[in-house]
Every structure is written in structure tokens, then in C-alpha cells.
Amino acid sequence: MADQAPPFSRIVANLPAAVPFVPPEELERKTGVKVRLRLGANESSFGMSPLAREAMENSLGENHLYGDALSLDLKMELATRHGIATEMITVAGGIDELLGWIARVFLNPGDPVTASLGSYPTFHYHVEGFGGRLHKVPYRGGKNDLDALAETARNTGSRIVYLANPDNPTGTWFTAAELKEFRRQLPADCLLLLDEAYLEFAPAAAHLPLDPADPGVIRTRTFSKAYGMAGLRIGYAFAQREIITAFDKIRNHFGVSRIAQIGALAALQDERFLQHVVEEVAAGRREYETLAETLGFAAYPSATNFVAIDTGDADRAAAIQDALWQRGVFIRVPGVAPLNRCLRVSVGTPGERQEFARILRKVMAEL
Amino acid sequence: MADQAPPFSRIVANLPAAVPFVPPEELERKTGVKVRLRLGANESSFGMSPLAREAMENSLGENHLYGDALSLDLKMELATRHGIATEMITVAGGIDELLGWIARVFLNPGDPVTASLGSYPTFHYHVEGFGGRLHKVPYRGGKNDLDALAETARNTGSRIVYLANPDNPTGTWFTAAELKEFRRQLPADCLLLLDEAYLEFAPAAAHLPLDPADPGVIRTRTFSKAYGMAGLRIGYAFAQREIITAFDKIRNHFGVSRIAQIGALAALQDERFLQHVVEEVAAGRREYETLAETLGFAAYPSATNFVAIDTGDADRAAAIQDALWQRGVFIRVPGVAPLNRCLRVSVGTPGERQEFARILRKVMAEL
């Protein structure tokens, strides 16, 4: 018998032991703190549609059956709503899984990729996990620097450029016109990966119209945010047929749970609930902006379900985060400068927001 | 704008358009047949534990929250039950997902892998998906040919050898003593991937004791079969710490749904229910064996929740499968000779079994 594990692949052997995010449960275990305000993962405090809940409850007796490997009912509903063919849609276990598929389909080891410095860590994680080389472009004025991203993509021969619109962790956004211009600036053989996880919260001007004729764009969407189904793991993407077919060659075909497919399909029917969440979140953002102002901080303009509050100093942000955590308040501070000056706070319910404001004021008075 | 999609990775560009299994929903859509007896995917007709159902129902209001990325509550329960450290366990979205992780962690493009010809297609799919080269060893006498598998693994320098115990699609199994001898015959640097999806249905003699000192074995388990949770997508694996750490470098960290974690943890508490399912399935297997006999067919001895009925001829098996399908009965016929002479039928409830027997007899009388 050998005394060590069989050798790992070259890529895996060279990977650092890094996780994109430590979950709040693990932070609780490590620190002994019990979270009472969970505002750090941009989960929806407004929960999911009662129609989704009912459909899922009614399906509890079906969990012994695999879900449809094609998620076709859901794809048909999405196709109808967005006016595109089902062959241009794929359904996955959330955007995180989609980002892994995209890295795998488009990257050979060593291939260059462009993304903003401090953008979604899980995308960086999957690119590195498939041996890609990340070129990171600093944010400028709290926004993704589109000109610099396009220039870097061109200069490095990037296979993929990643852009979240609206953005995480800043919450800022671009108009469809700005995105179109950005798309025009990219090399013809570079994929634009447009992560639209938060799009439901954004103004209409941020919605880039779908262009089925453009083969170089993938748009990822999710039921985790506005639909309040983060725990269920379901998201989708729009892309050209050839790309969807490539996903079908590598994806875990039965990977999306039956109950998530059922819940998501029902959630799409409840536009009133979605509208209610979007309005509540907008009200919450305004509250956070006012709160930030009264504390002498600036808030980034947000089109998402969170607000990044700029404390002006990374040490200060870390101290506030720590003091909040000791009081059971879970928020995030982005890991990379200059965004590490910010407190990223998810919009909670009115009660949660009031409680957060009370604790933050207390923390600020004590620091 | 480009007129075609950005280029795919070398591996993906060379992959055939193949899916491991066409789901029954897709077969329904393609043929216009409505399935009324779903006995082709080894789902558990006995459903899941009422304790699991209750726990999941009580958690329906939590679906807006991501699950614990470490699944630690579940890992702790599994660790206690199996007497090993939590660091030797990983939790995934079913064994299918685990098979993908394993191929990715252990294979460079072109690396050899050994498996039985006609063994689990999803394993083959993932090996090919990461560019591995499969060496396939024919079944012998309806069982995996352990000597030939070990010899092929040695001769090819295989990085992984795959063995399901009990086996799918035959249902046959080996004793712990036979498995130990097989393990001894493998090269020191070859991983033994022991897929134990159906182990709960097998006699005690089939349970290879866990050996935490052996770094060359991964054992995969699932809640899809005996626990009746196929639709929820949750499984786990035991392996050496170094391997579990490697999985953590590449896996989709928040990929296991919260409701699946909650359901699985509750299901483990209900040993009576599990015992009930195992007994029902054993009774069902005996019924299928008798049914096969009365039709002049042989049934493979099974330690799973299905029985492979050998019709003696591939064309006959295909004709029977087709006639059953036309009557709304979904079973599988393995794709590869000589197993393609078999009808693989999942054990249904007593009522389903009676109905299956009635229809199969009618089909046989008409053919």
C-alpha cells in the first residue's frame, strides 16, 4: 500500500488552498459568535414568493425522483419571457456553477482572462482552478473601468472578460449604451461574460437588450437574489446555441435539483412579489445611504440589493466589521484595495435595517 | 462583431456531443408517451423518511439563505457514525458531481483510466470530459472482472480504476475480502474509486471496512438511492485528508443546497425507515427473480434496488424495452454488449411491481 495519495493533476497540484468565501456558519464556529443579523451574503431577507413556497411544499413527495436533466419546463418559460429559443438557455446550480463551466469551456491552461481587481472572487477562483491567468484591472471612481478592461483584454489576448452589471461588490452599474460600446471595443474572439446576478434590482436603462446574433456574449442570471432562493441553487445563462451545446458536453446533467426547478418555475409567475421585493430593496438602499451620510461616510450608488458604504480607510472598515461581528452582525468588507475601505451591507427587512443602524451607530460612537 | 463563438478549449473542442443518460422526461417529449411506471433510474419508490420530509418542510422559510459551504453538521454526523474524522469527508451534489471532481483532481489530459466496459456512463463521461483515456475491461460472468481490471490498471499505468460495489447495471457484488485482494493487486499510485451508491442494500459481507491509513481509496456514497432523495442532489465521499483538501481547491463551495443538507441530516436519524426500505427492496428483488424465472429468463443476483433480467438476446431486450415503453413503462437496457441483453428494472412498490409483472407478461405473450 502507498503511503501517500495518488498524484494530482498538474493544475490541481499547483493550486493554492484558497476558498472564495468563508461562510458565516464557519465564522460562527471559529469565533463562537452567533449571527443575529445576516447581512453579508446579499441573500434576500424578503424570502421567496409564496407561490414558489407552495409549489415546493406540494412537491415534497417527489424528492425521490431525479429532476429533468434538461430543466425544459423552466427553460421554456424563460424562453417565452425573454423572446428567445430554449436552445439559447442553460440552467445550472446557480451562477457559481456557470462560472466554472465557462472557465472550463473557454480556457486552456495558461490562457489569459481579464476582470476587475476585486471583482467576484468565485469567478477568479474558477479561472485559476482551470489554469487560467488573470489580468486584473483596478476599479476607477468606484466603477469598473470599461476602457481599461477592454484595453487589457486586447493587449493580453484574453479569452474572457468578466463584467458584473450591476456590479458586486460596489453595486454600481452601466447603461445599455455604455455596455454596447464596451462590447464593440473587445476583440472578436474574446468572450464577454456579463454577470447579471443583480439585474432585477437595476433600472431599465441597465438592461442590455438580448442580441441573439452576437455569439460572443454570455449573460448569467440567478434565482438567488431578487427571487430569494440562494439556498436552492438555481441560475441560468443566455448564450449562443453553440455555447449551450458545449456546456452540455461537460456539465453535470442531473445536477439541478427537482425542487429548485419547481420553485423557480413558480417564482417566475409571481411578478407582484418580485416587484414588491424590488421596491422594498430600493427603500432600504435609500435608508442605508442616509445612514452612511449621517455617519459622515459616502455610499456608492447601488442598483443591487446591497450598499457599499465607503468609510474612507481600510483599517477603519476592518475595525467596524470586527466590532459589528462581535455584536452578531455579519457584513462583508471586500478583500482588495481600494474597495477594502467599504462595508458591503445587504438590504434587510425594515426591522433588520433599524437594528443594523442602531448597532452601527453604537459601534461608531465607541470606536 | 464576430460571426462565431469564441474558440473552445482543446479538450472541449474535441468532445463528442454525448449525454450520459437521456432523462425520462425527454423520452416522453420525444415519443409522446406518458410514463406511468418509472422503473428505469433506480429511484426509490419508497420515498424519503418522514423525518426528512418534516425537517425540509420546516426549513422552507430558509431557502433565501445559502447553505453551509462546508456542510459541517452533516459531515459531523457522518463522521460519528463511521468513526472517522470530518476532514476525511466531503459532501457534494450527488455522486455524479463527485465523479467529476475526481476526474479533475487526478487526471491530466491523456492520462489512462480503467473501468468495466458498460459500467456507469457518467463516470466515463467525466473522464472523457477532462481528457482522460478510458481502458475498458469486459464483464465476466455478469460480474466485474477484478483480475483483469487490476491487470489493465497495471499495464496501462492507470491513474484511476473505477469499481461500483454493488455494481450498476448488473447489481452483483464482491465481498470485503475480494475487494481487499483487488486493492492489493493495484499499483501503489493508482486510485481505487469505489462507488458505493447502492451499499445500503447489500449484505454486511460487501462492506469493505474503512481504512483511514490507505491513501489510495475514495469511496462515494449517496442519499439518492436507499434514502430516496435523488431529486435533492446530495452525496458524500470518504477519502484521505489530502484528497479532501484537493477537492476544496476546485469544488463549487456553495453548491449543495441548504434543504438537501437539512433533509440528509434528518434522514440519517431514521434508521427504522432505512431498514424498512432495505427490506421492501429485498422482497421486491425476490419477486422480480421469480418473475424472470417464470418467463424463462435468468436474473442477475442483485444487492441493489434493481434487478438485471437477462433475456439472452440484445434484439429481444430492445424489443421488450420498446414494447414496455409504448405502454408507459420506463426501464433501462444497458448500452453495451453483453449487458444489452438485460432489462434493468428498479424495485417499485408492491403495487408497481404487480403492475410491471402484468404488463411484462402481456408484452412477452404478444412478442
Side-chain angles (χ1 to χ4, degrees):
Chain A
M1 191 198 301
D3 55 5
Q4 60 180 31
F8 300 148
S9 73
R10 284 184 292 275
I11 292 177
V12 171
N14 289 322
L15 283 177
V19 297
F21 289 107
V22 178
E25 290 81 0
E26 182 67 0
L27 296 172
E28 285 182 323
R29 292 186 288 256
K30 283 195 166 155
T31 61
V33 166
K34 182 82 193 140
V35 169
R36 55 198 188 98
L37 274 182
R38 186 163 157 143
L39 302 173
N42 302 337
E43 296 156 332
S44 180
S45 287
F46 307 97
M48 60 184 182
S49 151
L51 293 190
R53 188 193 162 113
E54 189 187 350
M56 288 167 56
E57 192 164 351
N58 290 339
S59 83
L60 282 173
E62 297 172 26
N63 283 303
H64 63 294
L65 304 175
Y66 289 99
D68 176 11
L70 287 77
S71 300
L72 196 70
D73 290 344
L74 182 57
K75 284 202 283 196
M76 284 171 61
E77 181 66 26
L78 290 166
T80 303
R81 282 167 184 267
H82 294 278
I84 59 169
T86 57
E87 292 82 5
M88 295 187 67
I89 306 173
T90 192
V91 174
I95 291 179
D96 283 4
E97 185 174 38
L98 284 163
L99 297 178
W101 296 358
I102 292 166
R104 186 172 167 194
V105 162
F106 289 96
L107 298 180
N108 292 308
D111 276 354
V113 174
T114 297
S116 291
L117 174 68
S119 59
Y120 191 48
T122 306
F123 176 66
H124 297 221
Y125 169 83
H126 285 304
V127 167
E128 283 161 0
F130 286 100
R133 260 185 312 128
L134 271 162
H135 296 272
K136 299 177 190 174
V137 176
Y139 280 83
R140 196 171 67 177
K143 295 185 77 169
N144 290 284
D145 187 342
L146 296 187
D147 290 338
L149 284 165
E151 197 188 333
T152 302
R154 283 195 305 269
N155 292 345
T156 61
S158 280
R159 316 306 317 138
I160 306 173
V161 59
Y162 173 87
L163 181 73
N165 192 63
D167 183 58
N168 175 20
T170 66
T172 57
W173 58 283
F174 292 102
T175 64
E178 290 168 313
L179 295 171
K180 269 187 202 162
E181 176 54 30
F182 177 57
R183 173 80 190 95
R184 271 198 335 111
Q185 286 185 41
L186 295 177
D189 61 353
C190 175
L191 176 77
L192 169 57
L193 166 43
L194 194 57
D195 182 347
E196 300 182 317
Y198 298 95
L199 190 67
E200 291 84 359
F201 300 110
H207 290 241
L208 180 70
L210 283 174
D211 180 359
D214 182 352
V217 181
I218 298 182
R219 308 168 67 145
T220 57
R221 307 269 177 102
T222 185
F223 289 92
S224 294
K225 305 301 176 187
Y227 291 98
M229 296 180 162
L232 281 172
R233 314 283 56 226
I234 186 160
Y236 56 101
F238 299 130
Q240 202 228 28
R241 286 159 209 253
E242 195 185 343
I243 295 175
I244 302 295
T245 303
F247 292 149
D248 281 340
K249 294 181 181 181
I250 56 135
R251 70 186 181 91
N252 181 12
H253 280 254
F254 289 85
V256 180
S257 73
R258 189 179 186 91
I259 197 166
Q261 292 183 42
I262 289 168
L265 185 59
L268 286 176
Q269 315 305 319
D270 199 346
E271 287 175 27
R272 255 180 68 184
F273 180 80
L274 183 67
Q275 192 52 37
H276 155 75
V277 171
V278 167
E279 284 166 12
E280 279 284 336
V281 165
R285 284 197 307 253
R286 289 191 295 271
E287 270 187 37
Y288 283 168
E289 286 162 15
T290 306
L291 172 67
E293 221 172 286
T294 62
L295 292 168
F297 298 151
Y300 284 63
S302 170
T304 65
N305 71 342
F306 60 85
V307 173
I309 298 175
D310 189 348
T311 71
D313 181 89
D315 290 339
R316 184 183 298 135
I320 296 171
Q321 179 182 33
D322 186 56
L324 288 171
W325 178 260
Q326 295 306 326
R327 286 161 179 80
V329 181
F330 168 55
I331 63 156
R332 294 263 187 210
V333 170
V336 178
L339 302 178
N340 59 358
R341 303 180 317 199
C342 294
L343 315 173
R344 197 197 66 179
V345 190
S346 309
V347 171
T349 61
E352 287 173 330
R353 277 145 32 199
Q354 199 176 3
E355 182 68 354
F356 173 72
R358 190 185 67 75
I359 297 174
L360 179 60
R361 282 202 191 92
K362 204 167 157 192
V363 160
M364 291 308 301
E366 286 171 15
L367 277 178
Chain B
M1 194 197 300
D3 55 5
Q4 60 180 30
F8 299 149
S9 73
R10 284 184 292 273
I11 292 177
V12 171
N14 289 322
L15 283 177
V19 296
F21 289 106
V22 178
E25 289 82 359
E26 182 66 1
L27 296 171
E28 285 182 323
R29 291 186 289 255
K30 283 195 166 156
T31 61
V33 167
K34 180 84 193 141
V35 169
R36 56 199 188 97
L37 273 181
R38 185 165 157 140
L39 302 173
N42 303 336
E43 296 156 331
S44 180
S45 288
F46 306 97
M48 61 183 180
S49 151
L51 294 190
R53 188 194 162 110
E54 191 187 348
M56 288 166 57
E57 191 164 351
N58 291 339
S59 82
L60 282 174
E62 298 171 26
N63 282 304
H64 62 294
L65 304 175
Y66 289 100
D68 177 10
L70 285 78
S71 300
L72 196 71
D73 290 344
L74 181 58
K75 284 202 283 195
M76 283 172 62
E77 182 67 25
L78 291 166
T80 302
R81 283 167 183 266
H82 295 278
I84 60 168
T86 55
E87 291 81 6
M88 296 187 67
I89 307 172
T90 194
V91 174
I95 291 179
D96 283 3
E97 184 174 39
L98 285 164
L99 298 177
W101 295 357
I102 293 167
R104 185 172 167 194
V105 162
F106 289 97
L107 299 180
N108 293 306
D111 277 353
V113 173
T114 297
S116 290
L117 175 67
S119 59
Y120 191 48
T122 305
F123 176 66
H124 299 220
Y125 169 82
H126 285 304
V127 167
E128 284 160 0
F130 286 100
R133 261 184 313 128
L134 271 163
H135 297 273
K136 298 177 190 174
V137 175
Y139 280 82
R140 196 170 68 176
K143 294 185 76 169
N144 290 284
D145 187 341
L146 296 188
D147 289 339
L149 283 166
E151 196 188 335
T152 302
R154 283 195 306 269
N155 293 345
T156 60
S158 279
R159 317 304 319 138
I160 306 172
V161 59
Y162 174 88
L163 182 72
N165 192 62
D167 184 58
N168 175 21
T170 67
T172 56
W173 58 283
F174 293 102
T175 64
E178 291 168 312
L179 295 171
K180 270 186 202 164
E181 176 55 28
F182 177 57
R183 173 80 191 94
R184 271 198 333 112
Q185 288 184 41
L186 295 177
D189 60 354
C190 175
L191 176 78
L192 170 56
L193 167 43
L194 193 58
D195 183 345
E196 301 182 318
Y198 298 96
L199 191 66
E200 291 84 358
F201 300 111
H207 290 241
L208 180 69
L210 283 175
D211 180 359
D214 183 352
V217 182
I218 297 181
R219 307 168 69 145
T220 57
R221 307 268 177 100
T222 185
F223 289 91
S224 295
K225 304 302 176 187
Y227 291 98
M229 297 179 162
L232 280 172
R233 311 288 54 225
I234 186 160
Y236 56 102
F238 299 131
Q240 202 229 27
R241 287 160 209 252
E242 196 184 343
I243 295 174
I244 302 295
T245 303
F247 291 150
D248 281 340
K249 293 180 182 182
I250 56 136
R251 71 186 180 90
N252 181 11
H253 280 254
F254 290 85
V256 181
S257 72
R258 188 179 187 93
I259 197 167
Q261 292 185 41
I262 288 168
L265 185 61
L268 286 176
Q269 315 305 318
D270 199 347
E271 287 175 27
R272 258 181 67 184
F273 180 81
L274 182 68
Q275 192 51 37
H276 155 76
V277 172
V278 167
E279 285 166 12
E280 279 283 337
V281 165
R285 285 197 307 252
R286 289 191 295 271
E287 272 186 36
Y288 283 168
E289 286 162 14
T290 306
L291 173 67
E293 221 173 285
T294 62
L295 293 169
F297 297 150
Y300 284 64
S302 170
T304 65
N305 71 342
F306 61 85
V307 174
I309 299 174
D310 188 350
T311 71
D313 181 89
D315 289 340
R316 184 183 298 133
I320 296 171
Q321 179 182 32
D322 186 56
L324 288 172
W325 178 260
Q326 296 306 326
R327 286 161 180 80
V329 181
F330 168 55
I331 63 156
R332 292 263 186 210
V333 170
V336 179
L339 302 178
N340 59 358
R341 304 181 317 201
C342 294
L343 316 173
R344 197 197 66 178
V345 191
S346 310
V347 171
T349 60
E352 287 173 330
R353 276 143 34 197
Q354 201 176 2
E355 182 69 356
F356 173 72
R358 189 184 67 75
I359 298 173
L360 179 60
R361 283 202 190 90
K362 203 167 158 193
V363 161
M364 292 308 302
E366 287 171 15
L367 276 178

